[in-house]
Amino acid sequence: MNRKIMNVLYQCDDRYAAVTGVSLCSLLENNRGWEEIRIYLIDDRIREENRKKIELLAQRYGRTIAFLDMSGISERLEAVGAPKWCGSYAAYGRLFAPGMIEEDLDRLLYLDSDTIVTADLSELYNMDLEGKLCAMTQDSLCYVFYKHIGHRRDEPYYNSGVILFDAVQWKRLGCDAAVFPYITSHAGKLRFPDQDTLNDLFKGKIKRLDVRYNFFVEFLTAGIDEYYYVHSLSKKPHYYSREEMEEASRNAVIYHYCSADKPWIEDARCALSDLWDKYLQLSPWAGMRKTERRSPAFMQRAEEVINGHTWPVIRKLFYKLNVYAVDPAMSWLSKRKASRWKMCL
């Protein structure tokens, strides 16, 4: 089916409003051929000034935008002790959006704020979902980061930065209604809350996307061969081959700045910062001052030193230390915090 209307979802709080606007600008600039693009933005307390800029951006391209109120969902999440992501509940919005939208939709494409769209999305949006609830790309995370949700080592684990929803099925099966009970029963166990929930709750119902629809920029920052070596990706079941990754690096449709070093930070060290800057200058936030680099915590400073080392084996050893020692310790502390929260309820 060659659809003429594309429904796109973003979510953010006010801190990420400009970042979301830059991503939206890249989407609209490279998808002018669509008859209609409906934009839905889950609004987690975005200031009026930024709302007006987002509306202005949509109007510039002759597109419509609707803001979805996140406050009620945030209150319910806080009541059950759900863990926040980067100090906000905005990340959960994608799990509830298909049910929050009143219009009848057949599909809904969710994009993280830290993505840049470089081409027309017709092929992605019109793909055959083969009866699945949604489509996502596989994540490069080590198994240790998601074994807590009951995944086997040979089962794929997906990244929630780009999601193509079958909105009809999602509503018909009441998928969003299953989310709150899951989050309540797994409080303290979810390392990546929305992503873990999608992967566990809808296991076997997710179609694997081509990596060019959610290409992690950190592969280019580190170098593809080195990233594969440090993260042992050649041993990861079903993961994309080096050849697929090399090809995607040259013709990615959606680039994802998912590492800690972001292009809107001063003196960013990530690859393709100039690509992000290009769409910043086309957006209503052109000329904005970039975020100052904060003094990093001890582990972040150590990571920067190690990553600056010329020997990949040193970087791999540091990565293993983080995976098998530091992260489990942080996870244990998170569980204790969640346990104390439940005792207080």
Side-chain angles (χ1 to χ4, degrees), residues 131-162:
K132 304 292 186 181
L133 279 171
C134 59
M136 303 160 69
T137 58
Q138 193 171 346
D139 205 298
S140 62
L141 284 173
C142 177
Y143 176 61
V144 169
F145 287 108
Y146 55 91
K147 68 177 184 179
H148 59 278
I149 61 173
H151 264 48
R152 299 192 311 270
R153 190 179 294 274
D154 62 344
E155 290 179 318
Y157 178 84
Y158 297 97
N159 181 272
S160 62
V162 176

mmCIF file of all heavy atoms in Angstrom, residues 131-162:
data_model
loop_
_atom_site.group_PDB
_atom_site.id
_atom_site.type_symbol
_atom_site.label_atom_id
_atom_site.label_comp_id
_atom_site.label_asym_id
_atom_site.label_seq_id
_atom_site.Cartn_x
_atom_site.Cartn_y
_atom_site.Cartn_z
ATOM 1 N N GLY A 131 2.096 -8.827 10.232
ATOM 2 C CA GLY A 131 1.257 -9.184 11.366
ATOM 3 C C GLY A 131 1.823 -8.816 12.725
ATOM 4 O O GLY A 131 1.189 -9.070 13.759
ATOM 5 N N LYS A 132 2.985 -8.187 12.755
ATOM 6 C CA LYS A 132 3.608 -7.805 14.026
ATOM 7 C C LYS A 132 2.978 -6.522 14.563
ATOM 8 O O LYS A 132 2.401 -5.721 13.820
ATOM 9 C CB LYS A 132 5.109 -7.602 13.851
ATOM 10 C CG LYS A 132 5.852 -8.803 13.271
ATOM 11 C CD LYS A 132 5.882 -9.973 14.225
ATOM 12 C CE LYS A 132 6.753 -11.098 13.679
ATOM 13 N NZ LYS A 132 6.790 -12.276 14.574
ATOM 14 N N LEU A 133 3.137 -6.290 15.858
ATOM 15 C CA LEU A 133 2.598 -5.084 16.490
ATOM 16 C C LEU A 133 3.383 -3.837 16.114
ATOM 17 O O LEU A 133 2.836 -2.737 16.039
ATOM 18 C CB LEU A 133 2.613 -5.243 18.011
ATOM 19 C CG LEU A 133 1.475 -6.047 18.631
ATOM 20 C CD1 LEU A 133 1.758 -6.288 20.112
ATOM 21 C CD2 LEU A 133 0.152 -5.326 18.451
ATOM 22 N N CYS A 134 4.685 -4.011 15.918
ATOM 23 C CA CYS A 134 5.536 -2.875 15.612
ATOM 24 C C CYS A 134 6.840 -3.362 14.987
ATOM 25 O O CYS A 134 7.093 -4.570 14.935
ATOM 26 C CB CYS A 134 5.826 -2.039 16.862
ATOM 27 S SG CYS A 134 6.647 -2.942 18.190
ATOM 28 N N ALA A 135 7.654 -2.419 14.526
ATOM 29 C CA ALA A 135 8.953 -2.746 13.936
ATOM 30 C C ALA A 135 10.017 -1.862 14.573
ATOM 31 O O ALA A 135 9.802 -0.660 14.768
ATOM 32 C CB ALA A 135 8.927 -2.542 12.425
ATOM 33 N N MET A 136 11.185 -2.463 14.900
ATOM 34 C CA MET A 136 12.282 -1.739 15.550
ATOM 35 C C MET A 136 13.601 -2.346 15.087
ATOM 36 O O MET A 136 13.638 -3.472 14.594
ATOM 37 C CB MET A 136 12.173 -1.866 17.087
ATOM 38 C CG MET A 136 10.860 -1.373 17.659
ATOM 39 S SD MET A 136 10.503 -2.032 19.318
ATOM 40 C CE MET A 136 11.746 -1.219 20.311
ATOM 41 N N THR A 137 14.696 -1.601 15.261
ATOM 42 C CA THR A 137 16.014 -2.154 14.956
ATOM 43 C C THR A 137 16.589 -2.817 16.203
ATOM 44 O O THR A 137 16.256 -2.470 17.335
ATOM 45 C CB THR A 137 17.011 -1.071 14.494
ATOM 46 O OG1 THR A 137 17.125 -0.079 15.513
ATOM 47 C CG2 THR A 137 16.563 -0.440 13.196
ATOM 48 N N GLN A 138 17.489 -3.774 15.973
ATOM 49 C CA GLN A 138 18.116 -4.475 17.085
ATOM 50 C C GLN A 138 19.140 -3.573 17.770
ATOM 51 O O GLN A 138 19.845 -2.795 17.119
ATOM 52 C CB GLN A 138 18.796 -5.748 16.591
ATOM 53 C CG GLN A 138 19.210 -6.700 17.698
ATOM 54 C CD GLN A 138 19.689 -8.044 17.151
ATOM 55 O OE1 GLN A 138 19.473 -8.350 15.971
ATOM 56 N NE2 GLN A 138 20.319 -8.850 17.995
ATOM 57 N N ASP A 139 19.211 -3.654 19.097
ATOM 58 C CA ASP A 139 20.141 -2.836 19.871
ATOM 59 C C ASP A 139 21.490 -3.536 19.986
ATOM 60 O O ASP A 139 21.570 -4.767 19.918
ATOM 61 C CB ASP A 139 19.572 -2.563 21.268
ATOM 62 C CG ASP A 139 20.132 -1.296 21.882
ATOM 63 O OD1 ASP A 139 21.359 -1.241 22.099
ATOM 64 O OD2 ASP A 139 19.356 -0.355 22.133
ATOM 65 N N SER A 140 22.539 -2.733 20.200
ATOM 66 C CA SER A 140 23.896 -3.284 20.323
ATOM 67 C C SER A 140 24.269 -3.598 21.771
ATOM 68 O O SER A 140 25.403 -3.988 22.051
ATOM 69 C CB SER A 140 24.917 -2.302 19.746
ATOM 70 O OG SER A 140 24.894 -1.076 20.464
ATOM 71 N N LEU A 141 23.345 -3.409 22.715
ATOM 72 C CA LEU A 141 23.639 -3.622 24.126
ATOM 73 C C LEU A 141 24.114 -5.045 24.415
ATOM 74 O O LEU A 141 23.629 -6.009 23.822
ATOM 75 C CB LEU A 141 22.401 -3.346 24.982
ATOM 76 C CG LEU A 141 22.029 -1.879 25.228
ATOM 77 C CD1 LEU A 141 20.688 -1.803 25.931
ATOM 78 C CD2 LEU A 141 23.095 -1.164 26.034
ATOM 79 N N CYS A 142 25.017 -5.150 25.371
ATOM 80 C CA CYS A 142 25.479 -6.448 25.849
ATOM 81 C C CYS A 142 24.327 -7.168 26.563
ATOM 82 O O CYS A 142 23.457 -6.525 27.178
ATOM 83 C CB CYS A 142 26.655 -6.240 26.800
ATOM 84 S SG CYS A 142 27.288 -7.751 27.538
ATOM 85 N N TYR A 143 24.326 -8.489 26.517
ATOM 86 C CA TYR A 143 23.264 -9.302 27.111
ATOM 87 C C TYR A 143 23.038 -8.986 28.583
ATOM 88 O O TYR A 143 21.902 -9.040 29.076
ATOM 89 C CB TYR A 143 23.603 -10.786 26.931
ATOM 90 C CG TYR A 143 22.634 -11.736 27.589
ATOM 91 C CD1 TYR A 143 21.292 -11.760 27.215
ATOM 92 C CD2 TYR A 143 23.050 -12.609 28.597
ATOM 93 C CE1 TYR A 143 20.395 -12.625 27.821
ATOM 94 C CE2 TYR A 143 22.168 -13.484 29.201
ATOM 95 C CZ TYR A 143 20.841 -13.493 28.820
ATOM 96 O OH TYR A 143 19.964 -14.349 29.424
ATOM 97 N N VAL A 144 24.079 -8.635 29.298
ATOM 98 C CA VAL A 144 23.976 -8.323 30.726
ATOM 99 C C VAL A 144 22.945 -7.231 30.983
ATOM 100 O O VAL A 144 22.270 -7.227 32.013
ATOM 101 C CB VAL A 144 25.356 -7.894 31.280
ATOM 102 C CG1 VAL A 144 25.232 -7.314 32.682
ATOM 103 C CG2 VAL A 144 26.309 -9.075 31.288
ATOM 104 N N PHE A 145 22.779 -6.305 30.043
ATOM 105 C CA PHE A 145 21.892 -5.171 30.238
ATOM 106 C C PHE A 145 20.411 -5.524 30.103
ATOM 107 O O PHE A 145 19.554 -4.719 30.476
ATOM 108 C CB PHE A 145 22.235 -4.051 29.251
ATOM 109 C CG PHE A 145 23.503 -3.327 29.585
ATOM 110 C CD1 PHE A 145 24.638 -3.499 28.817
ATOM 111 C CD2 PHE A 145 23.563 -2.476 30.669
ATOM 112 C CE1 PHE A 145 25.813 -2.834 29.119
ATOM 113 C CE2 PHE A 145 24.726 -1.803 30.984
ATOM 114 C CZ PHE A 145 25.862 -1.984 30.206
ATOM 115 N N TYR A 146 20.093 -6.687 29.574
ATOM 116 C CA TYR A 146 18.673 -7.021 29.425
ATOM 117 C C TYR A 146 18.306 -8.437 29.850
ATOM 118 O O TYR A 146 17.155 -8.853 29.697
ATOM 119 C CB TYR A 146 18.197 -6.764 27.990
ATOM 120 C CG TYR A 146 18.960 -7.447 26.887
ATOM 121 C CD1 TYR A 146 18.584 -8.702 26.425
ATOM 122 C CD2 TYR A 146 20.042 -6.825 26.270
ATOM 123 C CE1 TYR A 146 19.278 -9.319 25.395
ATOM 124 C CE2 TYR A 146 20.746 -7.430 25.243
ATOM 125 C CZ TYR A 146 20.347 -8.686 24.809
ATOM 126 O OH TYR A 146 21.046 -9.300 23.783
ATOM 127 N N LYS A 147 19.227 -9.171 30.440
ATOM 128 C CA LYS A 147 18.895 -10.527 30.894
ATOM 129 C C LYS A 147 17.894 -10.497 32.047
ATOM 130 O O LYS A 147 17.178 -11.474 32.284
ATOM 131 C CB LYS A 147 20.145 -11.297 31.281
ATOM 132 C CG LYS A 147 20.855 -10.797 32.528
ATOM 133 C CD LYS A 147 22.054 -11.693 32.853
ATOM 134 C CE LYS A 147 22.733 -11.278 34.157
ATOM 135 N NZ LYS A 147 23.864 -12.159 34.478
ATOM 136 N N HIS A 148 17.836 -9.347 32.768
ATOM 137 C CA HIS A 148 16.940 -9.225 33.916
ATOM 138 C C HIS A 148 15.468 -9.276 33.532
ATOM 139 O O HIS A 148 14.613 -9.504 34.393
ATOM 140 C CB HIS A 148 17.217 -7.905 34.655
ATOM 141 C CG HIS A 148 17.040 -6.701 33.798
ATOM 142 N ND1 HIS A 148 18.018 -6.262 32.942
ATOM 143 C CD2 HIS A 148 15.995 -5.849 33.637
ATOM 144 C CE1 HIS A 148 17.586 -5.193 32.296
ATOM 145 N NE2 HIS A 148 16.368 -4.925 32.698
ATOM 146 N N ILE A 149 15.138 -9.083 32.258
ATOM 147 C CA ILE A 149 13.728 -9.153 31.848
ATOM 148 C C ILE A 149 13.371 -10.529 31.308
ATOM 149 O O ILE A 149 12.301 -10.718 30.728
ATOM 150 C CB ILE A 149 13.373 -8.061 30.815
ATOM 151 C CG1 ILE A 149 14.211 -8.207 29.532
ATOM 152 C CG2 ILE A 149 13.524 -6.674 31.408
ATOM 153 C CD1 ILE A 149 13.774 -7.265 28.418
ATOM 154 N N GLY A 150 14.275 -11.485 31.493
ATOM 155 C CA GLY A 150 13.967 -12.864 31.123
ATOM 156 C C GLY A 150 14.305 -13.246 29.708
ATOM 157 O O GLY A 150 13.956 -14.339 29.267
ATOM 158 N N HIS A 151 14.996 -12.382 28.977
ATOM 159 C CA HIS A 151 15.423 -12.715 27.621
ATOM 160 C C HIS A 151 16.538 -13.754 27.666
ATOM 161 O O HIS A 151 17.389 -13.729 28.554
ATOM 162 C CB HIS A 151 15.948 -11.455 26.906
ATOM 163 C CG HIS A 151 14.926 -10.784 26.059
ATOM 164 N ND1 HIS A 151 13.659 -10.500 26.498
ATOM 165 C CD2 HIS A 151 14.986 -10.326 24.771
ATOM 166 C CE1 HIS A 151 12.989 -9.891 25.534
ATOM 167 N NE2 HIS A 151 13.771 -9.775 24.479
ATOM 168 N N ARG A 152 16.516 -14.650 26.699
ATOM 169 C CA ARG A 152 17.642 -15.560 26.523
ATOM 170 C C ARG A 152 18.712 -14.850 25.698
ATOM 171 O O ARG A 152 18.447 -13.883 25.002
ATOM 172 C CB ARG A 152 17.207 -16.842 25.802
ATOM 173 C CG ARG A 152 16.160 -17.669 26.524
ATOM 174 C CD ARG A 152 16.034 -19.048 25.867
ATOM 175 N NE ARG A 152 15.901 -18.948 24.419
ATOM 176 C CZ ARG A 152 14.736 -18.852 23.777
ATOM 177 N NH1 ARG A 152 13.605 -18.821 24.477
ATOM 178 N NH2 ARG A 152 14.692 -18.770 22.463
ATOM 179 N N ARG A 153 19.908 -15.356 25.783
ATOM 180 C CA ARG A 153 21.026 -14.748 25.065
ATOM 181 C C ARG A 153 20.794 -14.744 23.548
ATOM 182 O O ARG A 153 21.255 -13.843 22.839
ATOM 183 C CB ARG A 153 22.323 -15.487 25.390
ATOM 184 C CG ARG A 153 23.578 -14.795 24.875
ATOM 185 C CD ARG A 153 24.818 -15.586 25.261
ATOM 186 N NE ARG A 153 25.015 -15.608 26.687
ATOM 187 C CZ ARG A 153 25.663 -14.667 27.368
ATOM 188 N NH1 ARG A 153 26.166 -13.624 26.730
ATOM 189 N NH2 ARG A 153 25.811 -14.761 28.680
ATOM 190 N N ASP A 154 20.072 -15.746 23.037
ATOM 191 C CA ASP A 154 19.885 -15.848 21.591
ATOM 192 C C ASP A 154 18.628 -15.115 21.103
ATOM 193 O O ASP A 154 18.279 -15.197 19.926
ATOM 194 C CB ASP A 154 19.825 -17.316 21.167
ATOM 195 C CG ASP A 154 18.655 -18.066 21.802
ATOM 196 O OD1 ASP A 154 18.075 -17.560 22.793
ATOM 197 O OD2 ASP A 154 18.323 -19.166 21.326
ATOM 198 N N GLU A 155 17.937 -14.400 22.002
ATOM 199 C CA GLU A 155 16.757 -13.646 21.603
ATOM 200 C C GLU A 155 17.130 -12.185 21.311
ATOM 201 O O GLU A 155 17.916 -11.592 22.049
ATOM 202 C CB GLU A 155 15.700 -13.679 22.714
ATOM 203 C CG GLU A 155 15.068 -15.047 22.897
ATOM 204 C CD GLU A 155 14.043 -15.062 24.021
ATOM 205 O OE1 GLU A 155 14.306 -14.462 25.079
ATOM 206 O OE2 GLU A 155 12.996 -15.688 23.841
ATOM 207 N N PRO A 156 16.573 -11.610 20.265
ATOM 208 C CA PRO A 156 16.913 -10.222 19.924
ATOM 209 C C PRO A 156 16.346 -9.241 20.940
ATOM 210 O O PRO A 156 15.281 -9.461 21.521
ATOM 211 C CB PRO A 156 16.262 -10.029 18.548
ATOM 212 C CG PRO A 156 15.137 -11.014 18.523
ATOM 213 C CD PRO A 156 15.613 -12.202 19.305
ATOM 214 N N TYR A 157 17.083 -8.161 21.135
ATOM 215 C CA TYR A 157 16.657 -7.075 22.018
ATOM 216 C C TYR A 157 16.687 -5.806 21.170
ATOM 217 O O TYR A 157 17.694 -5.506 20.527
ATOM 218 C CB TYR A 157 17.595 -6.963 23.215
ATOM 219 C CG TYR A 157 17.262 -5.837 24.174
ATOM 220 C CD1 TYR A 157 16.300 -6.012 25.171
ATOM 221 C CD2 TYR A 157 17.913 -4.609 24.091
ATOM 222 C CE1 TYR A 157 15.991 -4.990 26.057
ATOM 223 C CE2 TYR A 157 17.613 -3.578 24.968
ATOM 224 C CZ TYR A 157 16.658 -3.775 25.950
ATOM 225 O OH TYR A 157 16.356 -2.756 26.827
ATOM 226 N N TYR A 158 15.575 -5.065 21.172
ATOM 227 C CA TYR A 158 15.403 -3.973 20.223
ATOM 228 C C TYR A 158 15.552 -2.593 20.870
ATOM 229 O O TYR A 158 15.286 -2.415 22.055
ATOM 230 C CB TYR A 158 14.020 -4.072 19.564
ATOM 231 C CG TYR A 158 13.845 -5.330 18.746
ATOM 232 C CD1 TYR A 158 13.203 -6.447 19.291
ATOM 233 C CD2 TYR A 158 14.330 -5.414 17.452
ATOM 234 C CE1 TYR A 158 13.041 -7.614 18.544
ATOM 235 C CE2 TYR A 158 14.176 -6.572 16.703
ATOM 236 C CZ TYR A 158 13.535 -7.671 17.260
ATOM 237 O OH TYR A 158 13.384 -8.814 16.526
ATOM 238 N N ASN A 159 15.953 -1.631 20.046
ATOM 239 C CA ASN A 159 16.112 -0.245 20.471
ATOM 240 C C ASN A 159 14.829 0.528 20.196
ATOM 241 O O ASN A 159 14.264 0.441 19.105
ATOM 242 C CB ASN A 159 17.293 0.399 19.741
ATOM 243 C CG ASN A 159 17.519 1.831 20.152
ATOM 244 O OD1 ASN A 159 16.943 2.753 19.587
ATOM 245 N ND2 ASN A 159 18.359 2.040 21.154
ATOM 246 N N SER A 160 14.391 1.325 21.173
ATOM 247 C CA SER A 160 13.100 2.015 21.050
ATOM 248 C C SER A 160 13.209 3.424 20.477
ATOM 249 O O SER A 160 12.260 4.206 20.558
ATOM 250 C CB SER A 160 12.416 2.078 22.428
ATOM 251 O OG SER A 160 13.210 2.813 23.344
ATOM 252 N N GLY A 161 14.356 3.766 19.871
ATOM 253 C CA GLY A 161 14.526 5.104 19.309
ATOM 254 C C GLY A 161 13.712 5.365 18.060
ATOM 255 O O GLY A 161 13.368 6.514 17.755
ATOM 256 N N VAL A 162 13.400 4.302 17.320
ATOM 257 C CA VAL A 162 12.546 4.387 16.127
ATOM 258 C C VAL A 162 11.578 3.214 16.192
ATOM 259 O O VAL A 162 12.009 2.056 16.271
ATOM 260 C CB VAL A 162 13.354 4.318 14.818
ATOM 261 C CG1 VAL A 162 12.423 4.303 13.611
ATOM 262 C CG2 VAL A 162 14.332 5.498 14.717
#
